[in-house]
Amino acid sequence: MNENIPELIEEMRLQCMQCEQCGLSQTRNNVVFGEGNPESPLMIVGEGPGATEDATGRPFVGRAGKLLDEALAANRMSRQHVWICNVVKCRACLIENGRIRNRPPTTEEVTSCTPWLEKQIEIIKPLVILSLGAPSAKFIIKKDFRMTKERGIIYPTRFARYAVAALHPAYILRQAGQDYDGGKSLLIADIDLARRQVVKAKKEPQTDLFQPAIIP
Ligand code: URA
């Protein structure tokens, strides 16, 4: 198979920009499709865009994104080495006391949006998916995923040969205090685990089901 992955992803991005499958399309400023290297064997999947992502159309560009960039850099990686996207492509928010705040996407919103993620995975065919936060891990790894007990473990999944979950950078920011890094060192370690799993997976015999992505 000689598919042009960047072309297929661009074609899909143009379709996704027009999506009106759920009510989030009425309140979004931008669809946050995903970015990075579509030929990377490592895909990072977060929960959904926040205010900065909605304003810019780019994933993980707020404070949580800065922390993710730092954790990637600690592993000598940048977003050009991975594909970064979310389970849900539009911001879920509500107005409370006259202010707009993020809320978790509803089950219906997740259900209408995940075909986009599934299609991205089908095109990119990552060897390893790193789920950031429980909502992503519950979709990619298993419904009853428990972050405290099950992060940092390699799982086989139906989406990619392997998946691993890490603490969400926004959660880490909320936990961090004067003498606790909030779990940043765990995020760095889990990115390292995912990266090393890519190296291992590349040495395994490739099956028809999981085509290896082109090495960046
Ligand atoms: N949190 C997410 O889960 N995704 C983003 O893109 C930004 C913040």
Side-chain angles (χ1 to χ4, degrees):
M1 234 186 322
N2 195 14
E3 288 173 338
N4 186 333
I5 297 171
E7 232 170 63
L8 291 174
I9 275 290
E10 179 54 17
E11 216 172 273
M12 188 196 156
R13 189 182 69 79
L14 295 174
Q15 289 164 9
C16 190
M17 294 299 145
Q18 309 298 323
C19 180
E20 292 187 352
Q21 289 296 312
C22 80
L24 298 183
S25 61
Q26 304 304 306
T27 51
R28 74 176 177 226
N29 288 300
N30 283 293
V31 173
V32 180
F33 177 68
E35 68 176 33
N37 180 352
E39 294 178 311
S40 172
L42 178 58
M43 180 182 281
I44 297 180
V45 182
E47 178 180 6
T52 323
E53 290 77 20
D54 176 60
T56 57
R58 298 182 56 209
F60 283 98
V61 286
R63 283 181 69 222
K66 188 170 168 285
L67 179 57
L68 175 60
D69 286 341
E70 286 169 14
L72 285 169
N75 280 289
R76 296 185 306 279
M77 287 162 80
S78 73
R79 38 180 89 209
Q80 278 109 54
H81 294 109
V82 294
W83 180 260
I84 304 182
C85 60
N86 284 299
V87 172
V88 167
K89 310 292 188 217
C90 297
R91 184 189 185 196
C93 58
L94 49 80
I95 299 174
E96 203 176 59
N97 300 327
R99 297 183 64 186
I100 306 175
R101 43 171 211 90
N102 296 337
R103 62 163 173 82
T106 63
T107 309
E108 292 71 33
E109 288 160 353
V110 172
T111 305
S112 7
C113 202
T114 42
W116 290 116
L117 174 60
E118 287 172 340
K119 181 88 181 143
Q120 281 179 322
I121 295 172
E122 201 181 300
I123 295 174
I124 294 172
K125 298 183 178 64
L127 286 174
V128 178
I129 296 178
L130 175 67
S131 276
L132 294 182
S136 170
K138 283 177 197 282
F139 183 72
I140 297 288
I141 300 174
K142 54 178 180 160
K143 278 200 184 90
D144 59 349
F145 188 88
R146 284 172 307 165
M147 189 56 77
T148 40
K149 292 207 169 133
E150 296 175 313
R151 53 143 287 280
I153 297 172
I154 302 289
Y155 289 89
T157 78
R158 69 186 174 96
F159 295 110
R161 194 175 304 174
Y162 302 108
V164 59
L167 295 174
H168 194 289
Y171 171 84
I172 294 173
L173 288 171
R174 286 196 297 274
Q175 302 304 309
Q178 241 172 15
D179 42 31
Y180 176 49
D181 77 358
K184 182 176 175 183
S185 49
L186 296 178
L187 175 62
I188 294 172
D190 291 341
I191 292 175
D192 180 47
L193 179 66
R195 188 191 56 76
R196 282 184 288 115
Q197 193 63 25
V198 167
V199 175
K200 274 191 202 159
K202 279 182 186 160
K203 292 182 186 149
E204 293 168 356
Q206 310 298 332
T207 66
D208 287 349
L209 192 56
F210 297 113
Q211 297 291 325
I214 296 160
I215 302 156

